[in-house]
Structure formats: C-alpha cells, structure tokens
Amino acid sequence: MERALIIGASGGIGAALARRLTARGTQVTALSRSADGLDVTQEDSIREALGRLEPGLDLVICATGKLEGAGQGPEKAFSRLTAAAMADQYATNCIGPALVLKHAMALLPRDRRAVFAALSARVGSIGDNGLGGWMSYRAAKAGLNQVVRCGAIELARTHPQALCLALHPGTVETPFTEGFTGRDKHSPDTAADHLLEVIAGLGPEDSGSFHDWRGTPVPW
C-alpha cells in the first residue's frame, strides 16, 4: 500500500490532499499544528513528529504556508516593509519546508519512486514578476524554490528515482484567499486532484522543477 505524509493537513489544501489520497487507498499520515502540535518553524517539533514515522514513505507533501507576516499583510510598497514581517514569512514559507525536507529525506525509499513536494506560489517566480509588491511573501517563496532545487540535487545522489518538486496550486477557495477578489478560484478538492495529477505525470528527470496546477512549468 502506498504511504503518504501531509504536513499542514488542517489547511484547506492539505486537508483536501489527505481526503483525496485516502479515497484512493493510500495510507495517509496527516499532521498539523492545530491537531498535532507540529510547528514547522521549530526543528525539534519536526524532528520529533517525523522521527515517530516508519521509513518508506512514497509521498511527502508540505502544504504549510501563510500570507501575513508578524500580523502584517502583503506589502504594496517598500515603505510598508518591516524586518519582522519578512522574517516571519521566511520562517513559515521557506525555513519550515526546508527543515521538513531535511528530516523527510531519511523516510523516502531509495529503491523506488518517491516524491517530496512543497506548495510554492507563482508570485515566488522572479522571471514572472511584472507587478512588484508582496516583497516578503515573494522572497520567501523564491527561497523555497531554491530549497527544492537544492534538495533535488542532493536526493539524486542517493535516491535516483526520487522527485523533489515545487508546486503552485492556483488560487484556491480557502480562508487564505478570502480577501482576493476578481480571481477565478477552484475548490480545495479540485486543487488537490490537479496537484496529484501533476505529481503522477512527472518523472525523476523533472526533479527540482516548478510547475503550476495545470502541469505547466513556471519560470524561476
């Protein structure tokens, strides 16, 4: 039986991923801060939670993330930038998934296909940035993309069939996006189905890449 780990399973996308995978017959371990006390900004918390799991996970998805930093929403101009907000964004959106990957590597099998995927965001793309703004969130997601790229290179040395991916889920109808207007949103279940389809369609040669929910590569 395929085994999966979802980090951030109390969020809209994380919960939907857990539901969809369970419905497909996958054995899912779903962890979150609200339900299990897992805090991705604290390495000891990650080490303890993942240390209780048996190796041999076929899929690990880090679905954590936040849009506000230190109680401040995305900046529209540099005059709104604060060190506290940027550090808070990095802690959750970049450092957290990096630490999850650090401790998840030992749980991935070396003799078969395995996937680590982190939810990134199109606004983390440097090449696709034509609007500016959202500096802290953009920078943290760009940092996450670099973490995924480095993780793919390291994993390839010991896990030749493994994939390490950054995925943009699109704009999803969750509390995270309730303030967004004028955008087409899809449901968490639809987003989960799209993401799982993208993951299923990629191979080891795609490790270290960044794709959106349609499977289209996103510029770094």
Side-chain angles (χ1 to χ4, degrees):
M1 176 184 291
E2 183 181 60
R3 296 172 58 216
L5 169 64
I6 307 297
I7 304 291
S10 64
I13 299 175
L17 285 164
R19 285 194 302 271
R20 290 318 217 203
L21 285 165
T22 299
R24 297 179 183 190
T26 300
Q27 180 183 327
V28 177
T29 299
L31 299 177
S32 69
R33 181 169 59 182
S34 60
D36 308 284
L38 173 60
D39 185 348
V40 298
T41 68
Q42 301 296 322
E43 185 169 6
D44 287 346
S45 180
I46 297 170
R47 181 186 294 109
E48 181 180 354
L50 271 62
R52 294 194 296 264
L53 304 179
E54 290 292 326
L57 293 174
D58 301 285
L59 175 63
V60 177
I61 301 180
C62 189
T64 57
K66 65 190 302 183
L67 191 59
E68 294 186 353
Q72 177 178 305
E75 313 94 344
K76 294 184 179 180
F78 269 93
S79 61
R80 299 290 297 167
L81 182 68
T82 69
M86 180 169 274
D88 197 16
Q89 286 282 357
Y90 260 88
T92 298
N93 291 325
C94 179
I95 299 172
L99 292 173
V100 170
L101 176 56
K102 172 184 175 180
H103 292 279
M105 282 185 173
L107 299 174
L108 301 176
R110 299 189 180 203
D111 60 346
R112 64 179 188 271
R113 187 181 192 270
V115 178
F116 175 91
L119 296 192
S120 185
R122 186 179 297 278
V123 295
S125 166
I126 296 172
D128 192 51
N129 181 6
L131 296 175
W134 291 38
M135 284 71 72
S136 295
Y137 186 73
R138 285 182 187 274
K141 289 297 189 180
L144 170 60
N145 292 345
Q146 185 69 281
V147 165
V148 166
R149 186 71 172 181
C150 290
I153 292 169
E154 183 168 333
L155 269 176
R157 297 171 185 151
T158 53
H159 297 67
Q161 299 181 60
L163 291 81
C164 192
L165 304 169
L167 299 175
H168 169 57
T171 305
V172 183
E173 190 71 54
T174 67
F176 188 92
T177 64
E178 62 184 8
F180 296 178
T181 59
R183 296 168 182 257
D184 292 329
K185 301 180 184 180
H186 43 260
S187 72
D189 284 339
T190 298
D193 287 339
H194 287 155
L195 291 170
L196 293 173
E197 183 177 350
V198 171
I199 290 171
L202 298 175
E205 67 278 5
D206 300 302
S207 189
S209 59
F210 182 17
H211 290 78
D212 69 12
W213 59 274
R214 300 180 183 87
T216 304
V218 181
W220 292 117

